[in-house]
């Protein structure tokens, strides 16, 4: 099954954050990541939110985990540290019954 990263991010230093954006391209390409949501308009329907939202799809849940744990992504994440606060979960796709 596919895997996803779901992230909510507040960026405090946009210029420095661009170093993270450049650096994460390498592990994302390596692990087959595809952005489904990257910023954009949103409405808070319940609870609270951060300024940016992202949903990244991976070919498998295992690839999503491997990307996070990879030395390449951890090096990219180090570029983000101190310049943004992020809530990120890694989750497996659901392929069961749907409403209908």
């Amino acid at each position: 099954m596919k895997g996803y990263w779901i992230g909510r991010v507040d960026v405090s230093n946009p210029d420095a954050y661009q170093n993270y954006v450049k650096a994460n391209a390498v592990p994302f390409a390596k692990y087959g990541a595809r952005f489904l949501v990257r910023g954009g308009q949103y409405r808070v329907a319940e609870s609270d939110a951060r300024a940016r939202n992202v949903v990244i799809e991976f070919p498998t849940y295992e690839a999503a985990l491997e990307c996070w744990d990879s030395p390449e992504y951890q090096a990219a994440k180090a570029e983000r540290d101190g310049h943004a606060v992020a809530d990120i979960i890694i989750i497996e796709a659901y392929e069961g019954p749907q409403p209908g």
Side-chain angles (χ1 to χ4, degrees), residues 14-94:
D15 292 333
Y17 187 80
Q18 289 307 306
N19 294 327
Y20 163 71
V21 171
K22 291 174 188 170
N24 71 28
V26 171
F28 286 168
K30 179 178 178 180
Y31 292 94
R34 184 171 80 100
F35 284 92
L36 300 180
V37 174
R38 191 175 193 179
Q41 293 185 51
Y42 67 93
R43 181 181 104 184
V44 178
E46 190 173 335
S47 193
D48 57 356
R50 295 200 180 272
R52 289 183 54 84
N53 300 286
V54 61
V55 177
I56 305 170
E57 180 183 74
F58 290 83
T60 64
Y61 177 65
E62 291 75 19
L65 294 173
E66 289 170 9
C67 183
W68 179 267
D69 293 334
S70 73
E72 298 93 342
Y73 183 74
Q74 290 304 308
K77 183 183 169 300
E79 295 287 340
R80 186 188 76 207
D81 292 346
H83 306 294
V85 176
D87 303 317
I88 298 175
I89 65 166
I90 302 170
I91 191 164
E92 185 177 51
Y94 174 73

